[in-house]
Amino acid sequence: MREWVRQTVEQFGRDRHQLLEILGHLQRGRSYLEKETLLAVAEELDLPAAEVYGTATFYSLYSTVPRGKHIIRVCENAPCHIDGAAAVLAAVQAYLGLQVNETTEDGRFTLETTSCLGICSAAPALMIDDDVHGNLTPESAVGILKNLA
Amino acid sequence: MSMHRSHILICSGSNCSHRQSRAVRSRLRQAITETGLEREFKVIETGCFGLCQQGPIMVIYPEGVHYCRVQADDIDEIVQTHLQKGRVVTRLLFKSGTEQSVELPKTAFYQKQKRVVLRNVGLIDPENIEESLARDGYQGLAKVLDTLSPEAVIAEVTNSGLQGRGGAGFPAGRKWEFTRKAPGDQKYVVCNADEGEPGTSKDRLILEGDPHTIIEGMAIAGYAVGATKGFIYIRGEYQLSLQRFRQAVAQAKEYGLLGQDILGSGFHFDIEVRSGAGAYVCGEETALLNSLEGKRGEPRYKPPFPANFGLWGKPTLINNVETLANIGPILIHGADWYRSIGSPECPGTKVFTLSGNIANRGLIEVPMGITLREIVEDIGGGIPNGRHFKMAQTGGTSGGCLAVQHLDLPVDIPHLAEVGSSLGSGALLVVDDSHCMVDLARVFLKFFAHESCGQCTPCREGTTLLKRLVDKIASGSGTAADIKAMRRLSTTMQMTSLCGLGQTVPTPVLTMLAYFNDEFMEHLDGGACATGVCRAAVKGVV
């Protein structure tokens, strides 16, 4: 792990201003940033651990706690809200048996809400991992989840 | 170079992609190969055509026939009927209400638009720099480097009357001048592409559809203010924008339009692409600078302004994507031409994303000063499902909520300011009479309470308190004192919040209380929500 962090830091440059890029790279393909990873980054960049942790927890695309294999982000901003986002969220919650920011016991799904995904012409929308789905109904949203591996 | 009888343009923007446009595109290529037509027909993947509601959209030239809502299953029919027999597939043509049209530019949706920023979006292949060059790409930069001094460039931008298109509306030329005059050897140009305002996707669609116009705008800005290095900070959720922009930068370097000694002028300029990581507040310029430095995206105290103390304390020019997309055309055609568009006090065009209860949702560009009614009824096609217009929110969630009496208001920066709203980021959310304003206020304030960065007390506490108050009103247990408290809290936040986030949270609150006051009053002291929305929603939450 240490070697992997060192290589990543060297790839982006041993600079504070690369911290977001480094954290993004280290989290790619994983569900979160482990404590050991953050500590190693702090040491490599010669920063206080609190600075690295504080930065990682500020941004919603990083996580410092384990999340599921699939991350489901339901938009609940105004353009989606007026097109029935609340019903979509309720259906997803009922199907997964989760509240927002919880993960299923089998580690397959984490449910989050998100701010605007920018496809308001197809509201209501949600994002699963990197894929955005629009024009949802409660039934179609659950249908998409059922088809996930 | 091979010539093709016909070009088939198909949208590869994000708003069509989620409607399976990827499958449509690959099926189209496959069908053309299968029928041996690849020498006659060229398929080009473009940016957004604007009518996202009816996507995926395909246009066949030279005849200019537009097909809407094209699915992979429709491709065989298009190939056999249109490409092979030359007959239009009528069932896939644009339809909105009673209107049907073969060519999209002849529809009401396009007739009142004026395309400056979006001039190439939906016309060129954004992944091919040659297509940008064949339109007007980099002509402004070439003219500047060849014939104009930095001072003359700034004078042209100042005279054009261009105001920032990111939300604050500050005169662009003055910002450039401050940065030019600020002492310092190292200066920076930063493009703010951290588009997070709910209801807005214009910057993404510009970046996806015509990335070179932003590179050109940044390079001209660099020359004008004396910077050799630029950064673009693109929202982390916008993967396609990031990918296209990185590719465009690499192509521009290859063609000598970025890097050392651009076009033999002795001017050097480079651009680094950075990704955001999910924080609405980073759209605020000083928060964005902190984020670029690898820190928490917390806003800084102003003054000093970025023009004097920006990235790593150096003089920095920060402009929004749409502002920079105007720069090339202004330098090519001149300030007088730009002033001939729009209203005298607010020249130029504005790009809007239309969302909500409106027939034609999508991306539009209109001259400043067009009325709200023209946007909603003519371009937007009115309110669907037999409903009536109730509210239009300009500028995203931090913008003002306007009512039916504002429909004939000219839409530009000064006129919207007069009624307590703002042009903001160019989101336009239209809401019909089935919705309750108290319920919408809850949605707005939940968003702000979540996105407040927590650094300053008025915003951190104010957003949460406002949310509690409006929740209480929605539940039916609010009193007149709660409305008074909302007004007082809003005024305090406007006056004392550190950055634009906290200062603009009150904009939707105060405009709602001004223009939809009766509706809030109805909810007080156990009163009912006339639309029935609140009772259901509150029960669901509590």
Side-chain angles (χ1 to χ4, degrees):
Chain A
M1 189 275 297
R2 190 57 200 257
E3 191 46 38
W4 169 57
V5 171
R6 182 173 299 138
Q7 279 172 8
T8 306
V9 168
E10 263 155 25
Q11 181 190 335
F12 286 93
R14 215 165 274 280
D15 253 318
R16 167 70 195 253
H17 66 85
Q18 295 291 356
L19 181 57
L20 298 190
E21 301 287 325
I22 291 168
L23 293 177
H25 186 88
L26 291 173
Q27 194 182 269
R28 202 161 298 152
R30 313 161 77 86
S31 77
Y32 76 116
L33 293 158
E34 289 117 321
K35 184 179 168 191
E36 292 72 29
T37 309
L38 293 173
L39 287 171
V41 171
E43 226 166 278
E44 288 292 334
L45 291 179
D46 199 17
L47 287 171
E51 283 272 312
V52 175
Y53 180 77
T55 305
T57 51
F58 185 85
Y59 297 94
S60 66
L61 294 187
Y62 305 139
S63 175
T64 53
V65 293
R67 290 185 290 184
K69 182 178 166 203
H70 297 295
I71 298 168
I72 298 146
R73 298 180 169 96
V74 182
C75 175
E76 53 172 4
N77 287 169
C80 278
H81 176 80
I82 63 167
D83 260 333
V88 169
L89 180 61
V92 171
Q93 283 180 318
Y95 174 71
L96 296 175
L98 294 180
Q99 295 299 310
V100 173
N101 293 328
E102 288 181 352
T103 302
T104 50
E105 272 177 29
D106 61 4
R108 284 185 68 211
F109 300 105
T110 296
L111 178 62
E112 297 181 355
T113 55
T114 175
S115 61
C116 186
L117 297 166
I119 58 152
C120 314
S121 60
L126 61 73
M127 187 158 103
I128 301 175
D129 305 324
D130 286 334
D131 292 326
V132 177
H133 303 264
N135 287 326
L136 297 172
T137 60
E139 297 75 31
S140 71
V142 170
I144 294 167
L145 294 182
K146 282 184 178 161
N147 286 329
L148 278 184
Chain B
M1 190 181 144
S2 61
M3 297 290 280
H4 294 82
R5 173 158 75 87
S6 172
H7 285 183
I8 305 171
L9 273 52
I10 181 159
C11 178
S12 65
S14 291
N15 286 15
C16 277
S17 288
H18 73 88
R19 294 180 194 257
Q20 279 74 50
S21 79
R22 219 174 303 162
V24 177
R25 283 177 270 152
S26 61
R27 180 68 200 117
L28 177 65
R29 287 184 192 283
Q30 195 190 354
I32 287 180
T33 314
E34 281 166 9
T35 44
L37 293 170
E38 66 265 47
R39 283 164 169 256
E40 290 181 64
F41 295 94
K42 186 178 182 187
V43 179
I44 299 161
E45 298 187 5
T46 69
C48 180
F49 291 99
L51 204 61
C52 308
Q53 174 86 8
Q54 306 229 2
I57 291 182
M58 178 194 289
V59 192
I60 302 177
Y61 285 108
E63 51 271 46
V65 172
H66 283 64
Y67 290 128
C68 302
R69 302 181 197 271
V70 179
Q71 291 299 310
D73 293 345
D74 300 323
I75 294 298
D76 284 341
E77 188 180 349
I78 293 175
V79 170
Q80 285 158 16
T81 309
H82 190 131
L83 303 191
Q84 292 185 316
K85 296 180 188 151
R87 287 206 298 264
V88 172
V89 182
T90 325
R91 68 176 181 90
L92 294 172
L93 292 175
F94 168 81
K95 283 182 213 75
S96 178
T98 53
E99 193 188 5
Q100 176 165 350
S101 182
V102 176
E103 294 173 68
L104 273 193
K106 292 187 178 155
T107 59
F109 178 76
Y110 278 101
Q111 286 288 308
K112 291 207 168 176
Q113 295 198 45
K114 168 82 188 167
R115 298 201 151 206
V116 175
V117 168
L118 303 177
R119 64 198 177 281
N120 298 327
V121 176
L123 269 177
I124 61 164
D125 173 0
E127 301 196 359
N128 182 352
I129 190 171
E130 302 250 339
E131 297 214 356
S132 161
L133 294 170
R135 295 278 300 169
D136 56 3
Y138 298 96
Q139 275 180 32
L141 178 64
K143 180 180 173 186
V144 162
L145 294 180
D146 213 25
T147 61
L148 295 176
S149 67
E151 290 77 11
V153 174
I154 293 176
E156 198 73 37
V157 174
T158 305
N159 293 337
S160 76
L162 174 67
Q163 290 152 291
R165 300 292 196 246
F170 192 79
R174 282 182 66 200
K175 217 176 191 182
W176 287 31
E177 198 181 342
F178 292 150
T179 316
R180 169 100 201 146
K181 287 186 174 158
D185 297 335
Q186 177 69 61
K187 296 179 185 180
Y188 297 105
V189 170
V190 173
C191 174
N192 183 347
D194 190 46
E195 181 176 63
E197 191 64 47
T200 316
S201 56
K202 58 156 183 110
D203 291 342
R204 181 181 61 185
L205 296 169
I206 297 168
L207 290 170
E208 286 177 6
D210 190 11
H212 290 286
T213 193
I214 306 305
I215 296 177
E216 182 181 13
M218 289 178 73
I220 293 172
Y223 175 77
V225 305
T228 54
K229 175 96 193 187
F231 289 88
I232 181 164
Y233 184 95
I234 301 177
R235 197 176 162 200
E237 287 88 341
Y238 285 6
Q239 286 302 319
L240 184 62
S241 302
L242 281 158
Q243 175 210 321
R244 289 238 168 106
F245 204 84
R246 288 200 172 104
Q247 191 179 6
V249 166
Q251 287 182 359
K253 278 186 187 161
E254 223 175 275
Y255 278 66
L257 296 162
L258 277 180
Q260 298 290 308
D261 192 21
I262 296 172
L263 298 171
S265 64
F267 169 63
H268 314 309
F269 191 74
D270 251 319
I271 295 176
E272 204 173 311
V273 182
R274 291 293 189 85
S275 160
Y280 170 74
V281 72
C282 287
E284 197 281 332
E285 57 182 11
T286 59
L288 188 149
L289 293 176
N290 278 341
S291 187
L292 270 180
E293 292 180 10
K295 299 174 183 162
R296 291 165 66 90
E298 286 169 337
R300 302 173 180 173
Y301 288 94
K302 291 195 274 191
F305 290 94
N308 286 298
F309 190 91
L311 198 55
W312 298 297
K314 309 291 185 195
T316 303
L317 173 74
I318 307 186
N319 278 144
N320 168 260
V321 170
E322 187 186 346
T323 313
L324 289 166
N326 278 293
I327 297 301
I330 288 173
L331 271 304
I332 295 173
H333 305 296
D336 290 341
W337 164 80
Y338 197 75
R339 280 196 167 278
S340 72
I341 307 164
S343 53
E345 60 275 29
C346 195
T349 62
K350 181 77 192 84
V351 181
F352 285 95
T353 2
L354 296 185
S355 68
N357 305 124
I358 189 158
N360 301 329
R361 299 175 181 178
L363 181 74
I364 64 164
E365 181 172 1
V366 291
M368 290 277 194
I370 191 171
T371 66
L372 193 54
R373 188 185 300 280
E374 286 174 288
I375 297 180
V376 173
E377 293 178 2
D378 300 339
I379 299 173
I383 315 295
N385 306 324
R387 287 282 173 181
H388 299 285
F389 174 90
K390 181 168 187 178
M391 184 275 271
Q393 189 181 29
T394 63
T397 292
S398 63
C401 296
L402 304 180
V404 69
Q405 67 265 34
H406 300 113
L407 274 174
D408 291 307
L409 187 78
V411 174
D412 62 16
I413 294 170
H415 283 96
L416 288 176
E418 270 174 35
V419 293
S421 185
S422 70
L423 199 55
S425 61
L428 189 70
L429 173 68
V430 179
V431 175
D432 72 27
D433 56 355
S434 68
H435 296 283
C436 169
M437 291 300 116
V438 176
D439 178 61
L440 262 183
R442 293 180 64 219
V443 174
F444 297 157
L445 289 165
K446 185 175 180 190
F447 171 77
F448 288 127
H450 181 259
E451 294 295 348
S452 172
C453 82
Q455 187 181 199
C456 77
T457 311
C459 178
R460 181 186 62 235
E461 303 302 322
T463 49
T464 305
L465 286 172
L466 279 173
K467 182 174 178 303
R468 268 189 219 152
L469 285 166
V470 80
D471 279 349
K472 188 178 166 196
I473 293 167
S475 75
S477 54
T479 64
D482 293 323
I483 302 268
K484 213 171 149 192
M486 282 179 73
R487 286 186 205 277
R488 198 175 52 231
L489 204 51
S490 294
T491 316
T492 308
M493 285 180 71
Q494 276 180 330
M495 290 192 298
T496 58
S497 293
L498 174 60
C499 85
L501 198 166
Q503 289 160 14
T504 56
V505 169
T507 309
V509 177
L510 291 174
T511 47
M512 275 190 166
L513 290 178
Y515 306 131
F516 300 94
N517 187 49
D518 291 351
E519 205 166 325
F520 279 79
M521 290 304 178
E522 278 167 21
H523 285 72
L524 301 182
D525 305 314
C529 170
T531 61
V533 175
C534 284
R535 202 174 302 156
V538 173
K539 207 187 288 168
V541 169
V542 178

